[in-house]
Amino acid sequence: MKVSIITVTYNSGCTIADTLESVLRQTYPDIELVIVDGLSADNTIEVVRQYESKFCGRMKYVSEKDRGIYDAMNKGISMTTGDVVGILNSDDFFSADNVVERMVDAFTDDVDLVFGDVHFVRDSNLKKSIRYYSGRIFRPSMVRWGFFPPHPSLYVRRSVYEKYGYYKDEYKISADFEMIARLCYVRRLPYRYIHMDFVTMRMGGASTDSLGSRILGTEEDLRACHELGIKTNKLMIYCKYFIKTFETIFIRH
């Protein structure tokens, strides 16, 4: 099984090396890395080019204007050739060297999606976890409460994207939520959870960097549910913050 990993970058020169190194350390051999850069103004592409030879033909990249992160992800999906596709953000890195190997082992013939856990760190101390986000308690019905498994740990068969569509890039924050709600709740595609820390994430992503972003994300979650015909309301969607607090405290072990 060939695995395609998409890394979307924009002015990521300070962090992209950690991402690339973690991909190179993976024990699973059949990995294709697709880098989609939004025409960075820093040295991101210079760093990428320095690593190109280390991937021995398993890396491809493009640097051009896009309409945002989800448009870039869609572009990356269209460039992939693997059987399974995952997203590894340019300020994140794999938490262990066997993440991809464990993920592939979970992809039996009756599974279309696999996900695990992630943890958050601050750039000042990459070894200290400040939040653990687990997919362990996820059930499709929980999207009605705005909860979904950690997107950076999600791997999807490429044929699923081809059949059911890509990310809806009109969403600024919640296209990942809409995608998972569409695949897991509406389409009821079979998934598997692995109790493993997949990815180390630096704080400051699009959905975590401000109160305004969280409010917008909640509004977009509600919109996605309504567009997909999922019955919910604003109070139910806001319950996701209680769920996330619960799993942060109790679910890690």
Side-chain angles (χ1 to χ4, degrees), residues 66-110:
D66 54 55
R67 297 189 303 274
I69 188 169
Y70 296 114
D71 177 47
M73 289 179 183
N74 286 339
K75 190 182 299 183
I77 295 171
S78 69
M79 293 170 62
T80 62
T81 60
D83 304 290
V84 170
V85 178
I87 309 291
L88 183 65
N89 295 323
S90 60
D91 50 0
D92 304 340
F93 52 91
F94 286 118
S95 299
D97 296 347
N98 63 337
V99 169
V100 175
E101 183 177 355
R102 287 282 306 278
M103 178 273 298
V104 169
D105 287 343
F107 261 105
T108 54
D109 291 340
D110 59 342

mmCIF file of all heavy atoms in Angstrom, residues 66-110:
data_model
loop_
_atom_site.group_PDB
_atom_site.id
_atom_site.type_symbol
_atom_site.label_atom_id
_atom_site.label_comp_id
_atom_site.label_asym_id
_atom_site.label_seq_id
_atom_site.Cartn_x
_atom_site.Cartn_y
_atom_site.Cartn_z
ATOM 1 N N ASP A 66 -2.638 30.251 -3.808
ATOM 2 C CA ASP A 66 -3.837 29.440 -3.639
ATOM 3 C C ASP A 66 -4.901 30.278 -2.942
ATOM 4 O O ASP A 66 -4.661 31.425 -2.570
ATOM 5 C CB ASP A 66 -3.531 28.159 -2.841
ATOM 6 C CG ASP A 66 -2.863 28.447 -1.501
ATOM 7 O OD1 ASP A 66 -3.429 29.234 -0.713
ATOM 8 O OD2 ASP A 66 -1.773 27.895 -1.244
ATOM 9 N N ARG A 67 -6.059 29.681 -2.737
ATOM 10 C CA ARG A 67 -7.177 30.394 -2.112
ATOM 11 C C ARG A 67 -7.288 30.090 -0.620
ATOM 12 O O ARG A 67 -8.318 30.399 -0.004
ATOM 13 C CB ARG A 67 -8.490 30.029 -2.820
ATOM 14 C CG ARG A 67 -8.544 30.435 -4.280
ATOM 15 C CD ARG A 67 -9.945 30.253 -4.862
ATOM 16 N NE ARG A 67 -10.422 28.885 -4.735
ATOM 17 C CZ ARG A 67 -10.163 27.913 -5.600
ATOM 18 N NH1 ARG A 67 -9.417 28.176 -6.674
ATOM 19 N NH2 ARG A 67 -10.633 26.701 -5.422
ATOM 20 N N GLY A 68 -6.272 29.504 -0.042
ATOM 21 C CA GLY A 68 -6.315 29.172 1.374
ATOM 22 C C GLY A 68 -5.874 27.746 1.623
ATOM 23 O O GLY A 68 -5.583 26.981 0.693
ATOM 24 N N ILE A 69 -5.847 27.362 2.891
ATOM 25 C CA ILE A 69 -5.283 26.072 3.279
ATOM 26 C C ILE A 69 -6.039 24.891 2.691
ATOM 27 O O ILE A 69 -5.436 23.898 2.274
ATOM 28 C CB ILE A 69 -5.198 25.974 4.824
ATOM 29 C CG1 ILE A 69 -4.424 24.713 5.231
ATOM 30 C CG2 ILE A 69 -6.580 26.026 5.459
ATOM 31 C CD1 ILE A 69 -4.078 24.675 6.709
ATOM 32 N N TYR A 70 -7.361 24.973 2.615
ATOM 33 C CA TYR A 70 -8.120 23.830 2.108
ATOM 34 C C TYR A 70 -8.023 23.712 0.593
ATOM 35 O O TYR A 70 -8.037 22.600 0.052
ATOM 36 C CB TYR A 70 -9.575 23.907 2.570
ATOM 37 C CG TYR A 70 -9.710 23.815 4.075
ATOM 38 C CD1 TYR A 70 -10.182 24.892 4.823
ATOM 39 C CD2 TYR A 70 -9.336 22.652 4.748
ATOM 40 C CE1 TYR A 70 -10.282 24.815 6.197
ATOM 41 C CE2 TYR A 70 -9.430 22.567 6.129
ATOM 42 C CZ TYR A 70 -9.906 23.651 6.850
ATOM 43 O OH TYR A 70 -9.999 23.569 8.212
ATOM 44 N N ASP A 71 -7.901 24.829 -0.087
ATOM 45 C CA ASP A 71 -7.634 24.799 -1.518
ATOM 46 C C ASP A 71 -6.282 24.137 -1.769
ATOM 47 O O ASP A 71 -6.128 23.326 -2.690
ATOM 48 C CB ASP A 71 -7.643 26.218 -2.089
ATOM 49 C CG ASP A 71 -7.303 26.262 -3.565
ATOM 50 O OD1 ASP A 71 -7.860 25.466 -4.339
ATOM 51 O OD2 ASP A 71 -6.454 27.095 -3.953
ATOM 52 N N ALA A 72 -5.302 24.461 -0.914
ATOM 53 C CA ALA A 72 -3.985 23.846 -1.043
ATOM 54 C C ALA A 72 -4.041 22.350 -0.764
ATOM 55 O O ALA A 72 -3.386 21.548 -1.446
ATOM 56 C CB ALA A 72 -3.001 24.528 -0.088
ATOM 57 N N MET A 73 -4.815 21.943 0.234
ATOM 58 C CA MET A 73 -4.976 20.513 0.508
ATOM 59 C C MET A 73 -5.612 19.795 -0.677
ATOM 60 O O MET A 73 -5.188 18.697 -1.060
ATOM 61 C CB MET A 73 -5.825 20.316 1.761
ATOM 62 C CG MET A 73 -5.140 20.687 3.049
ATOM 63 S SD MET A 73 -6.229 20.433 4.476
ATOM 64 C CE MET A 73 -5.176 21.037 5.808
ATOM 65 N N ASN A 74 -6.620 20.403 -1.264
ATOM 66 C CA ASN A 74 -7.263 19.802 -2.438
ATOM 67 C C ASN A 74 -6.277 19.663 -3.591
ATOM 68 O O ASN A 74 -6.262 18.661 -4.306
ATOM 69 C CB ASN A 74 -8.457 20.646 -2.877
ATOM 70 C CG ASN A 74 -9.646 20.505 -1.947
ATOM 71 O OD1 ASN A 74 -9.745 19.529 -1.204
ATOM 72 N ND2 ASN A 74 -10.541 21.463 -1.990
ATOM 73 N N LYS A 75 -5.454 20.691 -3.756
ATOM 74 C CA LYS A 75 -4.431 20.638 -4.800
ATOM 75 C C LYS A 75 -3.482 19.469 -4.536
ATOM 76 O O LYS A 75 -3.082 18.740 -5.447
ATOM 77 C CB LYS A 75 -3.667 21.960 -4.836
ATOM 78 C CG LYS A 75 -2.741 22.134 -6.030
ATOM 79 C CD LYS A 75 -2.001 23.466 -5.942
ATOM 80 C CE LYS A 75 -2.953 24.632 -5.941
ATOM 81 N NZ LYS A 75 -2.225 25.941 -5.926
ATOM 82 N N GLY A 76 -3.128 19.302 -3.266
ATOM 83 C CA GLY A 76 -2.252 18.208 -2.901
ATOM 84 C C GLY A 76 -2.874 16.855 -3.167
ATOM 85 O O GLY A 76 -2.216 15.945 -3.703
ATOM 86 N N ILE A 77 -4.149 16.708 -2.824
ATOM 87 C CA ILE A 77 -4.835 15.432 -3.082
ATOM 88 C C ILE A 77 -4.810 15.103 -4.565
ATOM 89 O O ILE A 77 -4.572 13.954 -4.965
ATOM 90 C CB ILE A 77 -6.294 15.475 -2.562
ATOM 91 C CG1 ILE A 77 -6.308 15.602 -1.034
ATOM 92 C CG2 ILE A 77 -7.056 14.222 -2.990
ATOM 93 C CD1 ILE A 77 -7.677 15.869 -0.451
ATOM 94 N N SER A 78 -5.039 16.105 -5.405
ATOM 95 C CA SER A 78 -5.052 15.878 -6.850
ATOM 96 C C SER A 78 -3.679 15.484 -7.388
ATOM 97 O O SER A 78 -3.576 14.885 -8.464
ATOM 98 C CB SER A 78 -5.551 17.131 -7.575
ATOM 99 O OG SER A 78 -4.608 18.193 -7.479
ATOM 100 N N MET A 79 -2.618 15.797 -6.622
ATOM 101 C CA MET A 79 -1.257 15.456 -7.044
ATOM 102 C C MET A 79 -0.801 14.083 -6.548
ATOM 103 O O MET A 79 0.228 13.567 -6.993
ATOM 104 C CB MET A 79 -0.271 16.518 -6.528
ATOM 105 C CG MET A 79 -0.437 17.899 -7.146
ATOM 106 S SD MET A 79 0.561 19.163 -6.279
ATOM 107 C CE MET A 79 2.232 18.552 -6.547
ATOM 108 N N THR A 80 -1.541 13.487 -5.632
ATOM 109 C CA THR A 80 -1.104 12.239 -5.024
ATOM 110 C C THR A 80 -1.324 11.054 -5.944
ATOM 111 O O THR A 80 -2.185 11.063 -6.824
ATOM 112 C CB THR A 80 -1.840 11.981 -3.698
ATOM 113 O OG1 THR A 80 -3.247 11.866 -3.942
ATOM 114 C CG2 THR A 80 -1.580 13.086 -2.702
ATOM 115 N N THR A 81 -0.559 10.001 -5.688
ATOM 116 C CA THR A 81 -0.711 8.741 -6.431
ATOM 117 C C THR A 81 -0.849 7.556 -5.479
ATOM 118 O O THR A 81 -0.909 6.418 -5.923
ATOM 119 C CB THR A 81 0.495 8.497 -7.353
ATOM 120 O OG1 THR A 81 1.695 8.428 -6.563
ATOM 121 C CG2 THR A 81 0.642 9.614 -8.378
ATOM 122 N N GLY A 82 -0.908 7.821 -4.169
ATOM 123 C CA GLY A 82 -0.970 6.745 -3.195
ATOM 124 C C GLY A 82 -2.352 6.153 -3.039
ATOM 125 O O GLY A 82 -3.347 6.697 -3.521
ATOM 126 N N ASP A 83 -2.402 5.026 -2.334
ATOM 127 C CA ASP A 83 -3.684 4.374 -2.024
ATOM 128 C C ASP A 83 -4.379 5.063 -0.862
ATOM 129 O O ASP A 83 -5.609 5.073 -0.783
ATOM 130 C CB ASP A 83 -3.450 2.904 -1.665
ATOM 131 C CG ASP A 83 -2.723 2.154 -2.761
ATOM 132 O OD1 ASP A 83 -3.334 1.936 -3.824
ATOM 133 O OD2 ASP A 83 -1.544 1.800 -2.569
ATOM 134 N N VAL A 84 -3.583 5.634 0.036
ATOM 135 C CA VAL A 84 -4.088 6.287 1.242
ATOM 136 C C VAL A 84 -3.454 7.671 1.326
ATOM 137 O O VAL A 84 -2.277 7.841 0.995
ATOM 138 C CB VAL A 84 -3.740 5.454 2.489
ATOM 139 C CG1 VAL A 84 -4.040 6.227 3.760
ATOM 140 C CG2 VAL A 84 -4.506 4.142 2.484
ATOM 141 N N VAL A 85 -4.246 8.650 1.789
ATOM 142 C CA VAL A 85 -3.778 10.036 1.843
ATOM 143 C C VAL A 85 -3.942 10.590 3.257
ATOM 144 O O VAL A 85 -4.991 10.414 3.887
ATOM 145 C CB VAL A 85 -4.562 10.927 0.857
ATOM 146 C CG1 VAL A 85 -4.103 12.376 0.949
ATOM 147 C CG2 VAL A 85 -4.411 10.412 -0.572
ATOM 148 N N GLY A 86 -2.903 11.282 3.744
ATOM 149 C CA GLY A 86 -2.973 11.960 5.031
ATOM 150 C C GLY A 86 -2.372 13.349 4.926
ATOM 151 O O GLY A 86 -1.671 13.673 3.962
ATOM 152 N N ILE A 87 -2.664 14.189 5.923
ATOM 153 C CA ILE A 87 -2.164 15.563 5.973
ATOM 154 C C ILE A 87 -1.210 15.698 7.142
ATOM 155 O O ILE A 87 -1.552 15.338 8.277
ATOM 156 C CB ILE A 87 -3.315 16.576 6.154
ATOM 157 C CG1 ILE A 87 -4.430 16.361 5.122
ATOM 158 C CG2 ILE A 87 -2.776 18.004 6.111
ATOM 159 C CD1 ILE A 87 -4.067 16.710 3.712
ATOM 160 N N LEU A 88 -0.009 16.207 6.896
ATOM 161 C CA LEU A 88 0.938 16.524 7.970
ATOM 162 C C LEU A 88 1.325 17.987 7.815
ATOM 163 O O LEU A 88 2.040 18.356 6.885
ATOM 164 C CB LEU A 88 2.173 15.623 7.886
ATOM 165 C CG LEU A 88 3.212 15.815 8.997
ATOM 166 C CD1 LEU A 88 2.626 15.421 10.356
ATOM 167 C CD2 LEU A 88 4.475 15.000 8.709
ATOM 168 N N ASN A 89 0.842 18.826 8.716
ATOM 169 C CA ASN A 89 1.052 20.260 8.594
ATOM 170 C C ASN A 89 2.526 20.632 8.734
ATOM 171 O O ASN A 89 3.311 19.919 9.368
ATOM 172 C CB ASN A 89 0.224 21.008 9.637
ATOM 173 C CG ASN A 89 -1.262 20.851 9.410
ATOM 174 O OD1 ASN A 89 -1.730 20.824 8.274
ATOM 175 N ND2 ASN A 89 -2.016 20.733 10.488
ATOM 176 N N SER A 90 2.899 21.771 8.176
ATOM 177 C CA SER A 90 4.309 22.154 8.075
ATOM 178 C C SER A 90 4.911 22.637 9.386
ATOM 179 O O SER A 90 6.115 22.879 9.463
ATOM 180 C CB SER A 90 4.478 23.248 7.011
ATOM 181 O OG SER A 90 3.710 24.392 7.354
ATOM 182 N N ASP A 91 4.101 22.801 10.433
ATOM 183 C CA ASP A 91 4.654 23.097 11.758
ATOM 184 C C ASP A 91 4.431 21.937 12.730
ATOM 185 O O ASP A 91 4.597 22.079 13.935
ATOM 186 C CB ASP A 91 4.077 24.399 12.332
ATOM 187 C CG ASP A 91 2.563 24.461 12.260
ATOM 188 O OD1 ASP A 91 1.951 23.496 11.771
ATOM 189 O OD2 ASP A 91 1.995 25.476 12.699
ATOM 190 N N ASP A 92 4.074 20.760 12.177
ATOM 191 C CA ASP A 92 3.864 19.554 12.965
ATOM 192 C C ASP A 92 4.871 18.486 12.545
ATOM 193 O O ASP A 92 5.530 18.604 11.509
ATOM 194 C CB ASP A 92 2.449 19.003 12.763
ATOM 195 C CG ASP A 92 1.364 20.027 13.091
ATOM 196 O OD1 ASP A 92 1.662 20.997 13.815
ATOM 197 O OD2 ASP A 92 0.225 19.851 12.615
ATOM 198 N N PHE A 93 4.953 17.423 13.338
ATOM 199 C CA PHE A 93 5.817 16.305 12.962
ATOM 200 C C PHE A 93 5.310 15.019 13.614
ATOM 201 O O PHE A 93 4.573 15.058 14.612
ATOM 202 C CB PHE A 93 7.279 16.567 13.349
ATOM 203 C CG PHE A 93 7.497 16.976 14.780
ATOM 204 C CD1 PHE A 93 7.749 16.033 15.769
ATOM 205 C CD2 PHE A 93 7.470 18.320 15.148
ATOM 206 C CE1 PHE A 93 7.954 16.403 17.086
ATOM 207 C CE2 PHE A 93 7.679 18.713 16.471
ATOM 208 C CZ PHE A 93 7.918 17.748 17.444
ATOM 209 N N PHE A 94 5.680 13.891 13.039
ATOM 210 C CA PHE A 94 5.252 12.614 13.580
ATOM 211 C C PHE A 94 5.826 12.412 14.981
ATOM 212 O O PHE A 94 7.002 12.687 15.237
ATOM 213 C CB PHE A 94 5.688 11.464 12.672
ATOM 214 C CG PHE A 94 4.886 11.346 11.406
ATOM 215 C CD1 PHE A 94 5.490 11.501 10.168
ATOM 216 C CD2 PHE A 94 3.522 11.072 11.460
ATOM 217 C CE1 PHE A 94 4.757 11.380 9.002
ATOM 218 C CE2 PHE A 94 2.779 10.964 10.294
ATOM 219 C CZ PHE A 94 3.398 11.116 9.059
ATOM 220 N N SER A 95 5.002 11.862 15.877
ATOM 221 C CA SER A 95 5.423 11.663 17.259
ATOM 222 C C SER A 95 6.262 10.410 17.453
ATOM 223 O O SER A 95 6.917 10.258 18.488
ATOM 224 C CB SER A 95 4.198 11.593 18.178
ATOM 225 O OG SER A 95 3.463 12.794 18.135
ATOM 226 N N ALA A 96 6.230 9.510 16.474
ATOM 227 C CA ALA A 96 7.021 8.285 16.558
ATOM 228 C C ALA A 96 7.417 7.860 15.154
ATOM 229 O O ALA A 96 6.794 8.264 14.163
ATOM 230 C CB ALA A 96 6.219 7.172 17.245
ATOM 231 N N ASP A 97 8.439 7.028 15.060
ATOM 232 C CA ASP A 97 8.954 6.632 13.750
ATOM 233 C C ASP A 97 8.105 5.565 13.067
ATOM 234 O O ASP A 97 8.271 5.327 11.869
ATOM 235 C CB ASP A 97 10.388 6.106 13.891
ATOM 236 C CG ASP A 97 11.354 7.181 14.379
ATOM 237 O OD1 ASP A 97 10.982 8.369 14.372
ATOM 238 O OD2 ASP A 97 12.479 6.815 14.779
ATOM 239 N N ASN A 98 7.198 4.927 13.795
ATOM 240 C CA ASN A 98 6.393 3.845 13.218
ATOM 241 C C ASN A 98 4.927 4.224 13.054
ATOM 242 O O ASN A 98 4.066 3.344 12.932
ATOM 243 C CB ASN A 98 6.504 2.588 14.072
ATOM 244 C CG ASN A 98 5.953 2.766 15.487
ATOM 245 O OD1 ASN A 98 5.867 3.890 15.986
ATOM 246 N ND2 ASN A 98 5.590 1.659 16.123
ATOM 247 N N VAL A 99 4.620 5.510 13.056
ATOM 248 C CA VAL A 99 3.231 5.945 12.917
ATOM 249 C C VAL A 99 2.626 5.442 11.618
ATOM 250 O O VAL A 99 1.535 4.843 11.598
ATOM 251 C CB VAL A 99 3.123 7.484 12.998
ATOM 252 C CG1 VAL A 99 1.718 7.944 12.586
ATOM 253 C CG2 VAL A 99 3.445 7.974 14.397
ATOM 254 N N VAL A 100 3.293 5.674 10.500
ATOM 255 C CA VAL A 100 2.737 5.273 9.203
ATOM 256 C C VAL A 100 2.614 3.750 9.119
ATOM 257 O O VAL A 100 1.627 3.215 8.601
ATOM 258 C CB VAL A 100 3.588 5.831 8.048
ATOM 259 C CG1 VAL A 100 3.080 5.317 6.710
ATOM 260 C CG2 VAL A 100 3.557 7.362 8.064
ATOM 261 N N GLU A 101 3.580 3.050 9.645
ATOM 262 C CA GLU A 101 3.526 1.587 9.638
ATOM 263 C C GLU A 101 2.310 1.072 10.407
ATOM 264 O O GLU A 101 1.584 0.184 9.929
ATOM 265 C CB GLU A 101 4.804 1.027 10.247
ATOM 266 C CG GLU A 101 4.888 -0.492 10.225
ATOM 267 C CD GLU A 101 6.207 -1.001 10.775
ATOM 268 O OE1 GLU A 101 7.095 -0.181 11.078
ATOM 269 O OE2 GLU A 101 6.342 -2.230 10.907
ATOM 270 N N ARG A 102 2.071 1.617 11.582
ATOM 271 C CA ARG A 102 0.912 1.214 12.387
ATOM 272 C C ARG A 102 -0.392 1.575 11.687
ATOM 273 O O ARG A 102 -1.363 0.812 11.723
ATOM 274 C CB ARG A 102 0.972 1.893 13.759
ATOM 275 C CG ARG A 102 2.015 1.354 14.708
ATOM 276 C CD ARG A 102 1.573 0.042 15.352
ATOM 277 N NE ARG A 102 0.278 0.150 16.004
ATOM 278 C CZ ARG A 102 0.081 0.640 17.232
ATOM 279 N NH1 ARG A 102 1.119 1.097 17.938
ATOM 280 N NH2 ARG A 102 -1.139 0.692 17.737
ATOM 281 N N MET A 103 -0.416 2.747 11.062
ATOM 282 C CA MET A 103 -1.614 3.181 10.351
ATOM 283 C C MET A 103 -1.926 2.246 9.193
ATOM 284 O O MET A 103 -3.075 1.818 8.996
ATOM 285 C CB MET A 103 -1.421 4.617 9.857
ATOM 286 C CG MET A 103 -2.556 5.197 9.051
ATOM 287 S SD MET A 103 -2.438 4.809 7.269
ATOM 288 C CE MET A 103 -0.907 5.611 6.829
ATOM 289 N N VAL A 104 -0.929 1.882 8.414
ATOM 290 C CA VAL A 104 -1.130 0.982 7.270
ATOM 291 C C VAL A 104 -1.651 -0.370 7.733
ATOM 292 O O VAL A 104 -2.541 -0.966 7.106
ATOM 293 C CB VAL A 104 0.177 0.837 6.476
ATOM 294 C CG1 VAL A 104 0.059 -0.295 5.448
ATOM 295 C CG2 VAL A 104 0.515 2.142 5.769
ATOM 296 N N ASP A 105 -1.134 -0.878 8.836
ATOM 297 C CA ASP A 105 -1.583 -2.172 9.362
ATOM 298 C C ASP A 105 -3.072 -2.165 9.693
ATOM 299 O O ASP A 105 -3.731 -3.206 9.654
ATOM 300 C CB ASP A 105 -0.792 -2.541 10.620
ATOM 301 C CG ASP A 105 0.642 -2.954 10.314
ATOM 302 O OD1 ASP A 105 0.928 -3.265 9.136
ATOM 303 O OD2 ASP A 105 1.465 -2.959 11.245
ATOM 304 N N ALA A 106 -3.602 -0.988 10.016
ATOM 305 C CA ALA A 106 -5.021 -0.872 10.378
ATOM 306 C C ALA A 106 -5.937 -0.814 9.171
ATOM 307 O O ALA A 106 -7.152 -0.973 9.298
ATOM 308 C CB ALA A 106 -5.231 0.367 11.250
ATOM 309 N N PHE A 107 -5.376 -0.595 7.992
ATOM 310 C CA PHE A 107 -6.188 -0.468 6.779
ATOM 311 C C PHE A 107 -6.481 -1.842 6.173
ATOM 312 O O PHE A 107 -5.914 -2.223 5.157
ATOM 313 C CB PHE A 107 -5.484 0.422 5.747
ATOM 314 C CG PHE A 107 -5.999 1.838 5.733
ATOM 315 C CD1 PHE A 107 -5.258 2.856 6.289
ATOM 316 C CD2 PHE A 107 -7.228 2.142 5.174
ATOM 317 C CE1 PHE A 107 -5.715 4.168 6.285
ATOM 318 C CE2 PHE A 107 -7.703 3.437 5.164
ATOM 319 C CZ PHE A 107 -6.943 4.460 5.721
ATOM 320 N N THR A 108 -7.396 -2.569 6.804
ATOM 321 C CA THR A 108 -7.882 -3.806 6.202
ATOM 322 C C THR A 108 -8.866 -3.466 5.094
ATOM 323 O O THR A 108 -9.240 -2.305 4.907
ATOM 324 C CB THR A 108 -8.558 -4.674 7.269
ATOM 325 O OG1 THR A 108 -9.573 -3.907 7.938
ATOM 326 C CG2 THR A 108 -7.529 -5.152 8.298
ATOM 327 N N ASP A 109 -9.305 -4.472 4.349
ATOM 328 C CA ASP A 109 -10.156 -4.237 3.182
ATOM 329 C C ASP A 109 -11.478 -3.561 3.535
ATOM 330 O O ASP A 109 -12.100 -2.916 2.678
ATOM 331 C CB ASP A 109 -10.438 -5.562 2.463
ATOM 332 C CG ASP A 109 -9.203 -6.143 1.791
ATOM 333 O OD1 ASP A 109 -8.249 -5.367 1.561
ATOM 334 O OD2 ASP A 109 -9.196 -7.354 1.505
ATOM 335 N N ASP A 110 -11.932 -3.717 4.777
ATOM 336 C CA ASP A 110 -13.227 -3.172 5.162
ATOM 337 C C ASP A 110 -13.123 -1.829 5.882
ATOM 338 O O ASP A 110 -14.079 -1.373 6.513
ATOM 339 C CB ASP A 110 -13.975 -4.162 6.058
ATOM 340 C CG ASP A 110 -13.204 -4.501 7.336
ATOM 341 O OD1 ASP A 110 -11.985 -4.259 7.366
ATOM 342 O OD2 ASP A 110 -13.825 -5.005 8.293
#
